[in-house]
Amino acid sequence: MIRLGIVGATGYTGVELLRLLVPRDDVEILVVTSRELQGTKVAEHFPTLRGHLDLAFCGPDDPGLYDCDAVFFATPHGVAMHSAAALLEAGVRVIDLSADFRLKDRFSWERWYKTKHTSPELIREAVYGLPELNRDSIRSARLIAVPGCYPTAIQLGFLPLLEKNLVALDRLIADAKSGVSGAGRQAMEDYLLCEASESIRAYGLSGHRHHPEITQTLTQVAAKPVHLTFIPHLTPMVRGILASLYAPLDVGVSLCEADLQSIYEARYASEPFVEVLPAGESPATRMVKGSNKCAISVNYFRETNTAVVLVVEDNLVKGASGQAIQNLNIMFGLDESTGLKGIVLLP
Amino acid sequence: MIRLGIVGATGYTGVELLRLLVPRDDVEILVVTSRELQGTKVAEHFPTLRGHLDLAFCGPDDPGLYDCDAVFFATPHGVAMHSAAALLEAGVRVIDLSADFRLKDRFSWERWYKTKHTSPELIREAVYGLPELNRDSIRSARLIAVPGCYPTAIQLGFLPLLEKNLVALDRLIADAKSGVSGAGRQAMEDYLLCEASESIRAYGLSGHRHHPEITQTLTQVAAKPVHLTFIPHLTPMVRGILASLYAPLDVGVSLCEADLQSIYEARYASEPFVEVLPAGESPATRMVKGSNKCAISVNYFRETNTAVVLVVEDNLVKGASGQAIQNLNIMFGLDESTGLKGIVLLP
Amino acid sequence: MIRLGIVGATGYTGVELLRLLVPRDDVEILVVTSRELQGTKVAEHFPTLRGHLDLAFCGPDDPGLYDCDAVFFATPHGVAMHSAAALLEAGVRVIDLSADFRLKDRFSWERWYKTKHTSPELIREAVYGLPELNRDSIRSARLIAVPGCYPTAIQLGFLPLLEKNLVALDRLIADAKSGVSGAGRQAMEDYLLCEASESIRAYGLSGHRHHPEITQTLTQVAAKPVHLTFIPHLTPMVRGILASLYAPLDVGVSLCEADLQSIYEARYASEPFVEVLPAGESPATRMVKGSNKCAISVNYFRETNTAVVLVVEDNLVKGASGQAIQNLNIMFGLDESTGLKGIVLLP
Amino acid sequence: MIRLGIVGATGYTGVELLRLLVPRDDVEILVVTSRELQGTKVAEHFPTLRGHLDLAFCGPDDPGLYDCDAVFFATPHGVAMHSAAALLEAGVRVIDLSADFRLKDRFSWERWYKTKHTSPELIREAVYGLPELNRDSIRSARLIAVPGCYPTAIQLGFLPLLEKNLVALDRLIADAKSGVSGAGRQAMEDYLLCEASESIRAYGLSGHRHHPEITQTLTQVAAKPVHLTFIPHLTPMVRGILASLYAPLDVGVSLCEADLQSIYEARYASEPFVEVLPAGESPATRMVKGSNKCAISVNYFRETNTAVVLVVEDNLVKGASGQAIQNLNIMFGLDESTGLKGIVLLP
């Protein structure tokens, strides 16, 4: 029985961790914290958990966290970096869903997140929790930085092309569409039903925090600098990310669509949560809603010698809480799919 | 008083023509046809017109069409090409919202539309009804091919870059997102609320009929072959198109964002329906819903030396019926904005 | 030219007033106020007004208000009651969209709105601005209390039955469904797209402020106490109210559906904004979206001897700003429909 | 291991049965039939089942059905009545999600369904599969008529009041709101996203087939004739039913809200899938989406002496496939909740 804690479980990634963890027999949730809701029953805040979880929120520094085998941080950025060191020292492994340990370049992190980093020494130790790339390091990691929602989809979509050295690295494009839950449960005018429904728009044109995270991984994989145009779009739906990736093939590279299809199928053949779709099939976000699956369609346009890779995921599952649990499973030597095999609701 | 007919007014572009034309004092709607609804009151089929229009549908070949000054075709492709010649001969001007006369290359048209063209001699005469490009020819045209919804947005977005010779013509990208009304009022499973809501997906991966239409215009403007990757996406909303355009600048071209902004502002300064947004503002489709306006945001990404142009329009207005009426206004020497000045509903 | 002011025009009823008033030639908007946005261009706050209105927000006590012929209050409750007296004294007519002058019983108002009323002497003078009931008093009124959104639909639905003395007054039921815009533009968690979409729920079970307003009018019309069960429901859409009204017929009353239909048709025969639908037709909220129309369907169920009246309106138009303008038109002797004849967008 | 067949599994209730049954270890799906898709892999038709189910559709009369322990019919009405007898004779138990065996009055069935009933002798044997009412008969039943979606919610909401003899039976009202999936996966214009989104409307005003089903049960429970006004509404969401029930208390009955609350809590205390909400809480359909739970809120309005009961369920789960499986569990002596304990996705 693995004992778990969740810090800051009042938002969407928190309740998603609970949805996926509560039914399991091999883990026990010891502590769930919330600064504001301390003392309130979790199931009172999230009625969907009624009859499933009989725990009340503790304070953020509850000592029970130190009795856990692992603690998830489902907090805004700037929280985990304060608490991780003490937990690690006490032998508790930390899985951070926030951005605190994602960027290896501390100064870049401080620029993008406008905060001084308080645990720079842990940045180096933290393992970037993308199992399809870093499975081995995850196994023995003490501290996991769970990738962001956009980075997960975009990195998984570009990886095979970069590993095979097929594309022009200076002009990659990621046109990504996200549901509104990506903004979290914050009461902001922009995310009201009356403002966000029946409309689509781009945002983050002056730069998005996921940009350096994406290129950090892509650059590492390509072993050369990678330049990316990344435009996220707010889409009138609750869950889901569709990343439409455009990669001009390198001059001299000559491929047919079937070659690309084979490269992707081979790359992800043994991945439990990456599904390369049959040629010609286009992925819809609803096909992965509530699931940890990432579905990829590979296409090639001869006229422009461009690969177009379409990737869908649920931003709250493979893009956050599901991936965090996938990391947990790997860290504790469990079947990687444990608790993540649910079938998607349709329609 | 301009006398008007509408052929095939039972779909979304038909009712949109009526919404925009019925309140006008300077036009009179003589004939509205429908093969299936012959004899039914138009306002019975479209309750929104009750109290506004007291006309019944006529048959598709109603002689009243020949008493009109202009006739709109709001039909599927393959209808207007059969009837246009006789109307033109009778002195009736024809404004075709379908694709029949959009492609100058008859054989390309026949390949994409899988039909033999029955009026090839009219293809040459037809004027492509994009006022921002062809205003002068529209004035005296007898036969207008109203541009498609995607082509309108994408062409208006690329025009200034191509006219100024700024971009690499071999790798343009248009990632376009359309509301479901783009599919018309056809009872198909894919467009059911239960199938199309709460999800986004790409489609037309093997080629979309608007592709040759877009590149025909871009090639003409650039006076050189233009190669485009065009990926349309079905978005969970009723109306609106957002086209996110990616144009790598030509090697050697060195520009700042302000230059691009000026180029667009200058190009469209006197256009009544193209609004170049202030720098840094991102257009949302709901800001043009129900309006004939096309709003454009110009952005430059130094890292990839790429211009990113974001264009929104209402696919049923500037992308169809509104633009058809803009053409009508030009053809008959009226103020181009007549009947097209309504303020958008918010929220 | 009627000179107008709008106090507190930053919310949904404010922008709706502007949408409907700005295109008119017979009115001039002199002043638009906002405490927070003083100095900002109105069209910067509401981009849909760009190119249509070139005014900046003034402060809430701008002296320009005293140069107006009429001033609208599109404010939360508790604002108009402070400013109305001075404006009236200066000869400015006041049209209040808030609740300040709706309830004739000052103490009831103070209980429901949890505020001391500062202008009790004006309560008696204020005319309840439901033209279908009070048209004559509206003509000469100095101060109009524009009815709430639910009350408008529910009162118009019940009026003919009560006037004809047909129903049991002790057990009326109004099951009302409203779009989310009824909650205004407030950044509250409950109205986020992620919380309010894909779900329906009742609210206000312990009492809704519109309840006393509804029964005040019904009691006045029936000239006897009326008892109503009123349950509002939050519906996953932006605009629209559907009120499903259930009225058990009085013992002894024997009617067929055709009788009821005739009663409603006769009652509303000359009303420009109430449409009694043909028997058997069911009204959908989208059929009146953006319009000042209220559509009513009358049904009779023999098994339970119950009349079921279905009423739809746009909560922001006939339920607020449109009705306010209808009052303006009546007060100034204009055609009642001026500026309110737009055709509904479909789809 | 219970061997199962599903006849007609191409619609929404079919895929919902599969979603809930496929992950189970104690059942095996032998046969899934479809007339049109015979030979096609089920997971090709429903991509959400990829990697979960490796079966192809058989023809509708596949002999494999006779090897099953139980067969579900997820067909339109008029199919099960032809096949049930032979299956029962072969010892196969039948769980019919269609309406074929719901009405005990054959002639009423024939009137409402406009078809001659071909198995009148089985009507009497069929057990109406509402476990909260008929659990004992379900245990030994050979043939189950699974209740309709509206009837399940409305009957569960009224039961305690009728059993306690508290309400006036001649004037019950059920104002029910359903998501669009209630209409099934049929490609009809009315259910297109462009027609059904952003709008609410009543339908079935001339009578709905679920009406006689509802009153049959209510009359049986009350042991007196029950008269009901039932108005269903099409709500712009995919899944969910909210039934708002209005029951005038009998003259002479004097109750407080707490009494009603206790009556409901007592009635459903041991029911695994009926949750009586804490007093004052209002149920939202999204709180039961994908779950077999039915949540009930009990309210009392003194002014009209009326009980208002709010009931939510997922129309495809407790209103169809989940309830069918609950019946299966009871029939085969399993824990009634087996396979039905999943936690609801939020948001």
Side-chain angles (χ1 to χ4, degrees):
Chain A
M1 186 72 80
I2 304 167
R3 293 158 306 164
L4 299 175
I6 303 176
V7 177
T10 58
Y12 292 149
T13 54
V15 70
E16 193 67 0
L17 282 170
L18 290 168
R19 177 180 74 90
L20 294 165
L21 290 170
V22 163
R24 289 175 62 163
D25 295 328
D26 59 345
V27 304
E28 184 189 4
I29 298 171
L30 286 192
V31 186
V32 179
T33 84
S34 160
R35 194 176 299 275
E36 307 79 28
L37 297 180
Q38 207 168 335
T40 306
K41 288 271 181 184
V42 177
E44 204 175 300
H45 184 61
F46 293 125
T48 51
L49 293 171
R50 244 182 229 156
H52 296 284
L53 181 69
D54 190 38
L55 220 58
F57 288 108
C58 305
D61 305 312
D62 192 84
L65 290 170
Y66 291 86
D67 298 331
C68 294
D69 297 307
V71 165
F72 294 94
F73 280 82
T75 44
H77 72 268
V79 175
M81 69 181 180
H82 288 288
S83 313
L87 286 165
L88 293 175
E89 207 166 315
V92 183
R93 295 165 95 173
V94 171
I95 301 174
D96 178 21
L97 283 82
S98 85
D100 285 11
F101 300 104
R102 290 184 194 154
L103 296 189
K104 290 302 176 191
D105 178 342
R106 164 192 174 177
F107 303 105
S108 168
W109 190 91
E110 294 182 341
R111 254 192 333 273
W112 283 96
Y113 292 88
K114 301 190 168 79
T115 316
K116 201 171 159 47
H117 204 294
T118 60
S119 281
E121 71 291 352
L122 286 179
I123 291 179
R124 187 199 300 251
E125 176 178 352
V127 172
Y128 189 69
L130 192 68
E132 292 77 7
L133 188 66
N134 299 327
R135 186 169 282 112
D136 284 341
S137 332
I138 292 168
R139 266 188 251 282
S140 53
R142 296 196 309 161
L143 171 58
I144 295 285
V146 180
C149 53
Y150 286 122
T152 297
I154 295 171
Q155 291 164 2
L156 290 176
F158 276 129
L159 278 193
L161 290 174
L162 298 191
E163 289 172 349
K164 291 286 182 190
N165 237 321
L166 297 172
V167 293
L169 298 176
D170 56 336
R171 282 186 175 172
L172 300 183
I173 290 170
D175 183 295
K177 297 92 176 163
S178 172
V180 181
S181 64
R185 203 180 195 170
Q186 43 180 334
M188 283 178 55
E189 208 178 79
D190 278 359
Y191 309 121
L192 292 174
L193 183 141
C194 291
E195 301 293 314
S197 71
E198 282 297 306
S199 192
I200 187 166
R201 64 177 169 86
Y203 67 101
L205 294 175
S206 61
H208 189 286
R209 286 166 172 175
H210 285 173
H211 197 154
E213 183 186 338
I214 298 166
T215 49
Q216 170 180 282
T217 302
L218 298 188
T219 293
Q220 170 201 327
V221 169
K224 267 179 278 184
V226 169
H227 298 294
L228 172 75
T229 305
F230 165 48
I231 308 283
H233 296 75
L234 190 70
T235 309
M237 59 188 191
V238 176
R239 284 177 179 237
I241 281 179
L242 165 58
S244 307
L245 310 178
Y246 300 88
L249 295 194
D250 244 346
V251 181
V253 172
S254 163
L255 277 173
C256 64
E257 192 155 306
D259 299 330
L260 281 174
Q261 180 77 19
S262 306
I263 288 167
Y264 274 74
E265 285 178 358
R267 175 59 177 87
Y268 291 125
S270 60
E271 284 302 335
F273 295 114
V274 182
E275 180 180 350
V276 179
L277 293 177
E281 206 170 293
S282 179
T285 56
R286 71 183 190 128
M287 288 304 171
V288 297
K289 194 157 83 175
S291 132
N292 199 49
K293 212 183 266 182
C294 166
I296 298 182
S297 152
V298 191
N299 307 272
Y300 172 68
F301 288 79
R302 182 163 311 283
E303 194 189 327
T304 50
N305 197 29
T306 296
V308 177
V309 182
L310 303 167
V311 188
V312 295
E313 63 168 26
D314 184 320
N315 54 304
L316 295 177
V317 192
K318 184 62 177 168
S321 306
Q323 185 146 268
I325 292 170
Q326 188 181 355
N327 275 279
L328 174 86
N329 291 342
I330 297 171
M331 291 164 88
F332 286 84
L334 309 173
D335 175 342
E336 199 167 325
S337 304
T338 310
L340 298 171
K341 288 178 213 146
I343 300 179
V344 166
L345 209 62
L346 181 78
Chain B
M1 186 74 79
I2 304 168
R3 293 160 304 164
L4 299 174
I6 303 176
V7 177
T10 58
Y12 291 149
T13 55
V15 70
E16 193 67 1
L17 283 172
L18 290 168
R19 177 179 75 88
L20 294 165
L21 291 170
V22 163
R24 288 174 62 164
D25 296 327
D26 59 344
V27 305
E28 185 188 4
I29 297 171
L30 287 192
V31 186
V32 179
T33 83
S34 160
R35 193 175 301 275
E36 307 80 28
L37 297 181
Q38 207 169 337
T40 306
K41 288 271 181 185
V42 176
E44 204 174 300
H45 184 62
F46 293 125
T48 51
L49 294 172
R50 242 182 230 158
H52 296 285
L53 181 69
D54 190 37
L55 220 58
F57 287 109
C58 305
D61 306 313
D62 192 84
L65 291 169
Y66 292 85
D67 298 330
C68 295
D69 296 306
V71 165
F72 294 93
F73 280 83
T75 45
H77 72 268
V79 175
M81 68 181 181
H82 288 289
S83 314
L87 285 165
L88 292 175
E89 207 166 315
V92 182
R93 294 165 95 171
V94 171
I95 301 174
D96 177 21
L97 283 81
S98 86
D100 285 11
F101 300 103
R102 289 184 194 154
L103 297 189
K104 291 301 177 191
D105 178 342
R106 165 191 175 178
F107 302 105
S108 167
W109 191 90
E110 293 182 341
R111 252 192 335 273
W112 282 97
Y113 291 89
K114 301 191 167 78
T115 316
K116 202 172 158 48
H117 204 294
T118 61
S119 281
E121 71 292 351
L122 285 179
I123 291 180
R124 187 200 299 250
E125 176 178 352
V127 172
Y128 189 70
L130 192 68
E132 293 76 7
L133 190 65
N134 299 327
R135 187 169 281 112
D136 283 342
S137 331
I138 292 168
R139 266 189 250 282
S140 52
R142 294 196 310 162
L143 172 57
I144 295 286
V146 180
C149 53
Y150 286 122
T152 297
I154 295 171
Q155 291 165 2
L156 290 175
F158 277 129
L159 279 193
L161 290 175
L162 298 191
E163 289 173 348
K164 292 284 183 191
N165 237 321
L166 296 172
V167 294
L169 299 176
D170 56 335
R171 282 186 175 173
L172 300 182
I173 290 169
D175 183 294
K177 298 92 176 162
S178 173
V180 182
S181 65
R185 203 179 196 171
Q186 42 180 334
M188 284 179 54
E189 208 178 78
D190 278 359
Y191 309 120
L192 292 173
L193 182 140
C194 290
E195 300 293 312
S197 71
E198 282 297 305
S199 192
I200 187 166
R201 65 175 168 87
Y203 67 99
L205 294 174
S206 60
H208 188 287
R209 287 165 172 177
H210 285 172
H211 198 154
E213 182 185 339
I214 298 166
T215 50
Q216 170 180 282
T217 302
L218 298 187
T219 294
Q220 170 201 328
V221 169
K224 268 179 276 184
V226 169
H227 298 294
L228 172 74
T229 305
F230 165 48
I231 309 284
H233 296 74
L234 190 70
T235 310
M237 58 188 191
V238 176
R239 283 177 179 237
I241 282 180
L242 166 58
S244 307
L245 309 179
Y246 300 89
L249 296 194
D250 245 347
V251 181
V253 171
S254 163
L255 276 174
C256 63
E257 193 155 306
D259 299 330
L260 281 174
Q261 181 77 18
S262 307
I263 288 166
Y264 275 74
E265 286 178 358
R267 175 59 176 86
Y268 291 125
S270 59
E271 284 301 336
F273 295 114
V274 182
E275 180 180 351
V276 179
L277 293 177
E281 207 170 291
S282 179
T285 56
R286 71 183 190 126
M287 288 304 170
V288 297
K289 194 157 84 174
S291 131
N292 198 49
K293 213 183 264 181
C294 166
I296 299 182
S297 151
V298 191
N299 306 272
Y300 172 68
F301 288 81
R302 180 164 310 283
E303 196 190 326
T304 50
N305 198 28
T306 296
V308 177
V309 181
L310 303 167
V311 188
V312 295
E313 63 167 28
D314 184 321
N315 54 305
L316 295 176
V317 191
K318 183 63 178 166
S321 305
Q323 185 146 266
I325 292 170
Q326 189 181 355
N327 276 277
L328 174 85
N329 291 343
I330 298 171
M331 291 164 88
F332 286 83
L334 310 173
D335 176 342
E336 197 167 325
S337 304
T338 310
L340 298 171
K341 288 178 212 145
I343 300 179
V344 166
L345 209 61
L346 180 77
Chain C
M1 185 73 79
I2 304 168
R3 292 158 306 163
L4 299 175
I6 302 176
V7 177
T10 57
Y12 292 149
T13 54
V15 70
E16 193 68 0
L17 282 172
L18 290 168
R19 177 180 74 88
L20 294 166
L21 291 170
V22 163
R24 289 174 61 163
D25 295 328
D26 58 346
V27 304
E28 185 188 3
I29 297 171
L30 287 191
V31 185
V32 179
T33 84
S34 159
R35 194 175 300 276
E36 308 78 30
L37 297 180
Q38 207 169 335
T40 307
K41 288 271 182 185
V42 177
E44 204 174 300
H45 184 62
F46 293 125
T48 51
L49 293 171
R50 241 181 232 158
H52 296 283
L53 181 69
D54 189 37
L55 221 57
F57 287 109
C58 304
D61 306 312
D62 193 84
L65 290 170
Y66 292 86
D67 299 332
C68 295
D69 297 306
V71 166
F72 294 94
F73 280 82
T75 45
H77 72 268
V79 175
M81 68 180 180
H82 287 291
S83 314
L87 285 166
L88 292 176
E89 207 166 316
V92 183
R93 295 166 94 173
V94 170
I95 301 173
D96 178 20
L97 284 81
S98 86
D100 284 10
F101 299 104
R102 290 184 195 155
L103 296 189
K104 291 300 176 192
D105 178 343
R106 165 192 174 178
F107 303 105
S108 168
W109 190 90
E110 294 183 341
R111 256 193 331 274
W112 283 97
Y113 291 89
K114 302 191 167 80
T115 316
K116 203 174 158 43
H117 204 295
T118 61
S119 281
E121 70 291 351
L122 286 179
I123 291 179
R124 187 198 300 251
E125 174 176 353
V127 171
Y128 189 69
L130 192 68
E132 293 76 8
L133 189 64
N134 299 326
R135 187 169 281 112
D136 283 341
S137 332
I138 293 168
R139 265 190 252 284
S140 53
R142 294 196 311 160
L143 171 58
I144 295 286
V146 180
C149 53
Y150 285 122
T152 298
I154 295 171
Q155 292 166 1
L156 290 176
F158 277 128
L159 278 193
L161 290 176
L162 298 191
E163 288 172 349
K164 292 283 183 193
N165 238 323
L166 296 172
V167 294
L169 299 177
D170 56 335
R171 282 187 174 172
L172 300 182
I173 290 169
D175 183 295
K177 298 91 176 161
S178 172
V180 181
S181 64
R185 202 180 195 169
Q186 41 180 336
M188 284 178 55
E189 209 177 79
D190 278 359
Y191 309 121
L192 292 173
L193 183 140
C194 291
E195 301 292 313
S197 71
E198 282 297 306
S199 192
I200 187 166
R201 64 175 169 87
Y203 67 100
L205 294 175
S206 61
H208 189 287
R209 287 165 171 176
H210 285 172
H211 198 155
E213 182 185 339
I214 298 167
T215 49
Q216 169 180 283
T217 302
L218 297 187
T219 293
Q220 170 200 328
V221 169
K224 268 180 276 184
V226 169
H227 298 295
L228 172 75
T229 305
F230 166 48
I231 308 284
H233 296 75
L234 191 70
T235 309
M237 58 188 192
V238 176
R239 284 177 179 236
I241 281 181
L242 166 58
S244 308
L245 309 179
Y246 299 89
L249 295 194
D250 246 344
V251 181
V253 172
S254 164
L255 276 174
C256 63
E257 191 154 309
D259 299 330
L260 282 174
Q261 181 77 20
S262 305
I263 289 167
Y264 274 74
E265 286 179 358
R267 174 61 177 86
Y268 291 125
S270 60
E271 284 301 336
F273 294 115
V274 181
E275 180 180 351
V276 178
L277 294 177
E281 207 171 291
S282 178
T285 56
R286 70 183 192 128
M287 288 304 171
V288 296
K289 193 157 85 175
S291 133
N292 198 49
K293 212 183 267 181
C294 166
I296 298 183
S297 151
V298 192
N299 307 273
Y300 172 68
F301 288 80
R302 181 163 311 281
E303 195 189 327
T304 50
N305 197 28
T306 295
V308 178
V309 182
L310 303 166
V311 189
V312 295
E313 63 167 28
D314 184 320
N315 54 305
L316 295 176
V317 192
K318 183 63 178 166
S321 305
Q323 183 146 269
I325 292 169
Q326 189 181 354
N327 276 278
L328 175 86
N329 291 343
I330 297 172
M331 291 164 87
F332 287 84
L334 310 173
D335 175 341
E336 199 168 323
S337 305
T338 310
L340 298 171
K341 288 180 214 144
I343 300 179
V344 165
L345 210 61
L346 181 77
Chain D
M1 186 71 81
I2 303 168
R3 293 158 305 164
L4 299 174
I6 302 176
V7 178
T10 57
Y12 292 149
T13 54
V15 70
E16 193 67 359
L17 282 171
L18 291 167
R19 177 180 74 89
L20 293 166
L21 290 170
V22 163
R24 289 174 62 163
D25 294 328
D26 59 345
V27 304
E28 186 189 3
I29 297 170
L30 286 192
V31 186
V32 179
T33 83
S34 159
R35 194 175 299 276
E36 306 79 29
L37 296 181
Q38 206 168 336
T40 307
K41 288 272 182 185
V42 176
E44 203 174 300
H45 184 61
F46 293 125
T48 51
L49 294 172
R50 240 181 232 158
H52 296 284
L53 181 69
D54 190 38
L55 220 58
F57 288 109
C58 306
D61 306 312
D62 192 84
L65 291 170
Y66 292 86
D67 299 331
C68 294
D69 297 307
V71 165
F72 294 93
F73 281 82
T75 45
H77 72 267
V79 175
M81 68 180 181
H82 288 290
S83 313
L87 286 165
L88 292 175
E89 207 166 315
V92 183
R93 294 165 95 172
V94 170
I95 301 174
D96 178 20
L97 284 81
S98 86
D100 284 10
F101 299 104
R102 290 183 195 156
L103 296 189
K104 290 301 176 192
D105 178 341
R106 166 192 174 177
F107 302 105
S108 167
W109 191 91
E110 294 183 341
R111 253 192 335 272
W112 282 97
Y113 291 89
K114 302 190 167 78
T115 316
K116 203 172 157 46
H117 204 294
T118 60
S119 282
E121 70 291 353
L122 285 179
I123 291 179
R124 187 198 301 250
E125 175 177 353
V127 171
Y128 189 69
L130 191 68
E132 293 76 7
L133 189 65
N134 299 327
R135 186 170 282 112
D136 282 343
S137 331
I138 292 169
R139 265 189 251 284
S140 52
R142 294 195 311 161
L143 171 58
I144 296 285
V146 179
C149 53
Y150 286 122
T152 297
I154 294 171
Q155 291 165 2
L156 290 175
F158 277 128
L159 278 193
L161 290 175
L162 298 191
E163 288 173 349
K164 290 284 182 192
N165 238 323
L166 297 172
V167 293
L169 299 177
D170 55 335
R171 283 187 174 170
L172 300 182
I173 289 169
D175 183 294
K177 298 92 177 161
S178 172
V180 181
S181 64
R185 204 181 195 169
Q186 41 180 336
M188 284 178 55
E189 209 178 77
D190 278 359
Y191 309 121
L192 292 173
L193 184 140
C194 290
E195 301 292 314
S197 71
E198 282 295 308
S199 193
I200 186 167
R201 63 175 169 87
Y203 67 100
L205 294 175
S206 60
H208 188 286
R209 287 166 172 175
H210 285 172
H211 198 155
E213 182 185 339
I214 298 166
T215 49
Q216 169 180 281
T217 302
L218 298 188
T219 293
Q220 170 201 328
V221 170
K224 267 180 276 185
V226 169
H227 298 294
L228 172 75
T229 305
F230 165 49
I231 308 283
H233 297 75
L234 190 70
T235 309
M237 58 187 192
V238 176
R239 284 178 179 236
I241 281 181
L242 165 58
S244 307
L245 309 179
Y246 300 89
L249 294 194
D250 245 345
V251 181
V253 171
S254 163
L255 276 174
C256 64
E257 191 154 309
D259 299 329
L260 282 174
Q261 181 78 19
S262 305
I263 287 167
Y264 274 74
E265 285 179 358
R267 174 59 176 88
Y268 291 126
S270 60
E271 284 301 335
F273 294 115
V274 182
E275 180 181 350
V276 179
L277 294 178
E281 207 170 291
S282 178
T285 56
R286 71 183 190 127
M287 287 305 171
V288 297
K289 193 156 85 174
S291 133
N292 198 50
K293 211 183 268 182
C294 166
I296 298 183
S297 151
V298 190
N299 307 273
Y300 172 67
F301 289 80
R302 182 164 310 283
E303 195 190 327
T304 50
N305 197 28
T306 296
V308 177
V309 182
L310 304 167
V311 188
V312 296
E313 63 168 28
D314 184 320
N315 54 305
L316 295 176
V317 193
K318 183 62 177 165
S321 306
Q323 185 147 265
I325 291 171
Q326 189 181 353
N327 275 279
L328 174 86
N329 291 344
I330 297 172
M331 291 164 87
F332 285 85
L334 309 173
D335 175 342
E336 198 168 324
S337 305
T338 311
L340 298 171
K341 289 179 212 143
I343 300 179
V344 166
L345 209 62
L346 181 78

